[in-house]
């Protein structure tokens, strides 16, 4: 009889795990290297990116097309939560593909060409960390 609550908890955890996993950002490391200084909360950084909709693959924005990376301070709420939490611990030149569910993106709000409730895919590349020299050996 003592095992019933444990079994029930395991069953509920296994049943709910796919639901919980859908509400997380998926991070795929495309390119990674070792470096002396990785991004941390409060760093002013520059990131190149390409954003597409998971639903149909259509591109809604790309800094690559403009030739200018996006500059912001990471970890303090200047960008969507999916970026703020998942562009940390990166070296200059690292590339990540982020699959961001609505809860970590724009939620139930439509923003420009992005429909409300959209899952977003961003291909990102860390270009610079303010005050950190770009070391050729690390690239």
């Amino acid at each position: 009889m003592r095992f019933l609550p444990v079994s029930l908890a395991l069953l509920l955890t296994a049943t709910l795990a796919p639901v919980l996993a859908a509400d997380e950002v998926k991070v795929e490391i495309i390119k990674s290297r070792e470096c002396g200084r990785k991004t941390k909360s409060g760093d002013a950084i520059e990131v190149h990116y390409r954003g597409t909709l998971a639903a149909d693959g259509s591109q809604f924005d790309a800094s690559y097309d403009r030739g200018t990376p996006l500059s912001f301070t990471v970890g303090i709420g200047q960008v969507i939560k999916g970026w703020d939490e998942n562009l940390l611990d990166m070296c200059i030149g690292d590339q990540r593909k982020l699959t961001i569910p609505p809860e970590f993106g724009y939620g139930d709000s439509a923003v420009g060409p992005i429909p409300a409730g959209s899952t977003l895919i961003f291909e990102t590349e860390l270009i610079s960390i303010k005050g950190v020299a770009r070391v050729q050996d690390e690239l």
Side-chain angles (χ1 to χ4, degrees), residues 96-116:
R96 292 182 181 172
K97 181 178 178 181
L98 308 176
T99 301
I100 303 176
E103 298 79 13
F104 294 88
Y106 297 106
D108 292 330
S109 300
V111 177
I114 303 170

Side-chain angles (χ1 to χ4, degrees), residues 11-120:
L11 178 61
L12 286 173
T13 301
T15 303
L16 293 175
V19 173
L20 295 175
D23 293 333
E24 296 176 358
V25 174
K26 179 183 170 192
V27 179
E28 182 182 343
I29 307 298
I30 305 300
K31 185 176 180 183
S32 181
R33 61 188 33 89
E34 293 297 318
C35 64
R37 171 68 160 73
K38 296 183 177 193
T39 55
K40 60 185 178 185
S41 187
D43 280 341
I45 64 174
E46 290 184 313
V47 176
H48 258 312
Y49 67 92
R50 176 172 292 102
T52 58
L53 299 175
D56 65 6
S58 63
Q59 180 177 302
F60 58 82
D61 193 16
S63 67
Y64 289 108
D65 295 348
R66 292 187 295 279
T68 305
L70 180 66
S71 301
F72 62 96
T73 301
V74 69
I76 65 167
Q78 290 184 345
V79 292
I80 59 174
K81 189 175 180 181
W83 274 38
D84 244 1
E85 295 178 355
N86 295 286
L87 294 179
L88 299 172
D89 204 32
M90 290 179 74
C91 294
I92 295 170
D94 281 3
Q95 297 175 3
R96 292 182 181 172
K97 181 178 178 181
L98 308 176
T99 301
I100 303 176
E103 298 79 13
F104 294 88
Y106 297 106
D108 292 330
S109 300
V111 177
I114 303 170
S118 292
T119 295
L120 310 173

